[in-house]
Amino acid sequence: MEYILIFISAIFVNNIVLAQFLGICPFLGVSKKIDTSLGMSAAVAFVMVLATIVTWLVWTFVLKPNGLDYLQTIAFILVIASLVQMVEIILKKVSPALYQALGIFLPLITTNCAVLGVAILVIQKDFNLAQSIVYAFSTAIGFGLALTVFAGMREQLELTNIPKGMRGMAIVLVTAGLLSLAFMGFSGVDGGLKTLFGLE
């Protein structure tokens, strides 16, 4: 039941983009078309889960036992950057078609603060490895959901007659704010589920 709560909370209640405001750059930059947002979501999901596993292992078996806690952020950044490079090289050799599909998005993931944010949040929440994987995967789904819904809204905005002063980034930011407000409607769901299943 605990894993279901982590899953629901990460997707809806504490959405990485709309509630915690991490990963805003790809959220605004790659959300013009649904196709590109789906590609970015898949790439982020893959890297986020992989990075969370590796950073959790680095923290648990290297940094924490040796009293190197202060190196957490820099170590995690290096791990994520290395992982993205490694994934890029492997994909290029093993599956050129998938590399072509994700090629543009892979370098963008290196600078996506949502990946680093999840790696740090997992440590702060004191999750074990299984909880960390569930949290990373569900956060990636939440990121993908927000990105895809926002892309759909932006595609619809292209077909509407927007007042001159609101065109461009202005209407995009207003739409993002409204989407964030819509997701606020889920706040309290995790608390209700905890009470329902007697986990409080």
Side-chain angles (χ1 to χ4, degrees), residues 33-166:
K33 298 278 175 212
I34 290 176
D35 296 345
T36 52
S37 65
L38 286 170
M40 182 65 171
S41 302
V44 165
F46 181 69
V47 172
M48 196 178 275
V49 172
L50 201 62
T52 302
I53 294 167
V54 176
T55 51
W56 188 90
L57 293 170
V58 167
W59 168 259
T60 308
F61 298 109
V62 179
L63 299 178
K64 200 178 177 184
N66 295 311
L68 300 170
D69 304 25
Y70 58 92
L71 291 175
Q72 182 194 52
T73 306
I74 197 141
F76 285 10
I77 290 169
L78 288 170
V79 165
I80 291 164
S82 306
L83 271 174
V84 171
Q85 285 297 109
M86 200 170 69
V87 166
E88 207 169 341
I89 292 163
I90 291 166
L91 276 180
K92 204 172 187 177
K93 296 272 184 199
V94 176
S95 177
L98 188 61
Y99 175 75
Q100 286 297 321
L102 301 178
I104 8 166
F105 306 117
L106 283 169
L108 287 173
I109 296 166
T110 313
T111 55
N112 187 348
C113 59
V115 179
L116 177 64
V118 168
I120 291 171
L121 283 168
V122 155
I123 304 303
Q124 286 177 353
K125 291 173 187 282
D126 200 28
F127 283 160
N128 60 35
L129 186 57
Q131 289 171 325
S132 301
I133 293 166
V134 170
Y135 182 75
F137 181 68
S138 48
T139 301
I141 290 172
F143 177 83
L145 177 70
L147 195 64
T148 309
V149 169
F150 191 55
M153 290 169 81
R154 283 184 75 172
E155 282 188 2
Q156 286 298 311
L157 284 172
E158 295 291 320
L159 306 171
T160 56
N161 187 19
I162 300 161
K164 200 173 181 182
M166 288 296 289

